[in-house]
Amino acid sequence: MKYYKFQDSENHIRIGKIICLARTYKEHAREMNATVTEDPLLFLKPTSSIIYDHETIIIPKRSQCLHHEVELGVILGKKGKNIGEEDAMHYVLGYLVALDITARDIQSVAKKNGWPWAIAKGFDTFAPISDAVIKEKIPDPLHLNLSLKINGVVKQNANTNQMIYPLERIISFISEIMTLEPGDLILTGTPEGVGEIKEGDVLEAQLDSFCSLTVNVKRE
């Protein structure tokens, strides 16, 4: 079992489903030569892909090209189904900064053949997360600086206000498809600037002044 680590708290809340969004920033969709859809695009990651601050991303033998994607993570605190947008934020427990690591070579083959992305997104260590922050400390989650440095060089730098879909819309939409439960984690998509990571790299992700994440990379 994997648990969230909350800042300044002894709370141990189990991590549930990891629900990820794709193409939520226009510039990222453009750099990936992808179209933006009316409804959010969803995929899932297993909880076994979670690692924490100061742990290690493992490049698997099956892949020769991993990409970084820094994201705002939203933690659910209550069970909900068919949640209205006007009530959606009442279901949020807290936030964190996360990395959605992708085996881009595997994903490219899957896209070309119309196959699912599960393998490209689901390897162990492919979902590093920071310590969590309770929502009361972040009154406006869609006005936060989101950044990633690799070996001290800025690779991604954006603001969550550039997201295409409001959080209320995201939460409501997901709850129409699957019941949201306490401990579920929504990874809300990445801005532009994604790129390759290699053995020996040190990644530093930051969500404004609220939380940070540092991980390194090595090959299996």
Side-chain angles (χ1 to χ4, degrees):
M1 294 183 184
K2 300 280 179 96
Y3 294 85
Y4 297 103
K5 300 175 182 179
F6 277 82
Q7 297 176 6
D8 305 318
S9 174
E10 296 299 321
N11 287 340
H12 288 82
I13 298 171
R14 185 178 176 183
I15 300 173
K17 300 186 290 293
I18 305 173
I19 307 153
C20 306
L21 278 72
R23 306 177 195 172
T24 56
Y25 291 79
K26 287 183 179 179
E27 291 302 317
H28 173 59
R30 185 174 292 115
E31 74 179 350
M32 299 301 291
N33 296 315
T35 57
V36 174
T37 56
E38 180 178 352
D39 290 326
L41 296 176
L42 307 180
F43 60 93
L44 301 175
K45 278 181 176 277
T47 54
S48 54
S49 64
I50 292 285
I51 59 172
Y52 301 98
D53 193 28
H54 297 297
E55 295 190 342
T56 300
I57 298 166
I58 303 298
I59 303 172
K61 294 176 182 177
R62 286 181 174 269
S63 177
Q64 300 302 315
C65 182
L66 298 195
H67 274 201
H68 58 78
E69 300 182 13
V70 66
E71 310 198 4
L72 166 67
V74 180
I75 304 165
L76 278 298
K78 296 195 300 182
K79 184 176 181 178
K81 176 68 175 175
N82 295 320
I83 300 167
E85 290 187 30
E86 67 279 4
D87 296 322
M89 299 309 291
H90 296 303
Y91 288 80
V92 175
L93 177 64
Y95 305 99
L96 52 76
V97 64
L99 295 172
D100 171 16
I101 303 300
T102 305
R104 193 68 76 195
D105 49 353
I106 295 174
Q107 186 190 46
S108 295
V109 172
K111 285 182 175 181
K112 183 177 179 180
N113 289 280
W115 299 339
W117 297 358
I119 296 175
K121 296 285 191 176
F123 285 97
D124 290 353
T125 78
F126 272 27
I129 63 170
S130 71
D131 289 357
V133 181
I134 59 171
K135 71 174 181 180
E136 287 77 13
K137 291 188 176 182
I138 303 181
D140 187 0
L142 285 189
H143 202 282
L144 299 171
N145 291 323
L146 183 65
S147 65
L148 177 70
K149 294 180 181 178
I150 300 180
N151 305 325
V153 178
V154 176
K155 297 295 185 178
Q156 292 185 268
N157 188 26
N159 194 286
T160 55
N161 63 17
Q162 297 168 349
M163 288 177 59
I164 297 166
Y165 313 103
L167 288 185
E168 294 88 345
R169 167 96 168 96
I170 290 170
I171 293 168
S172 177
F173 176 76
I174 295 172
S175 75
E176 293 175 12
I177 299 161
M178 62 189 82
T179 299
L180 290 171
E181 298 171 309
D184 285 353
L185 175 63
I186 301 173
L187 298 187
T188 58
T190 195
E192 72 275 12
V194 302
E196 189 172 0
I197 57 175
K198 298 182 179 181
E199 185 168 27
D201 284 347
V202 177
L203 283 64
E204 299 172 274
Q206 190 83 28
L207 183 64
D208 223 295
S209 61
F210 295 104
C211 49
S212 61
L213 170 68
T214 301
V215 291
N216 64 344
V217 184
K218 73 176 184 179
R219 182 163 287 282
E220 188 173 26

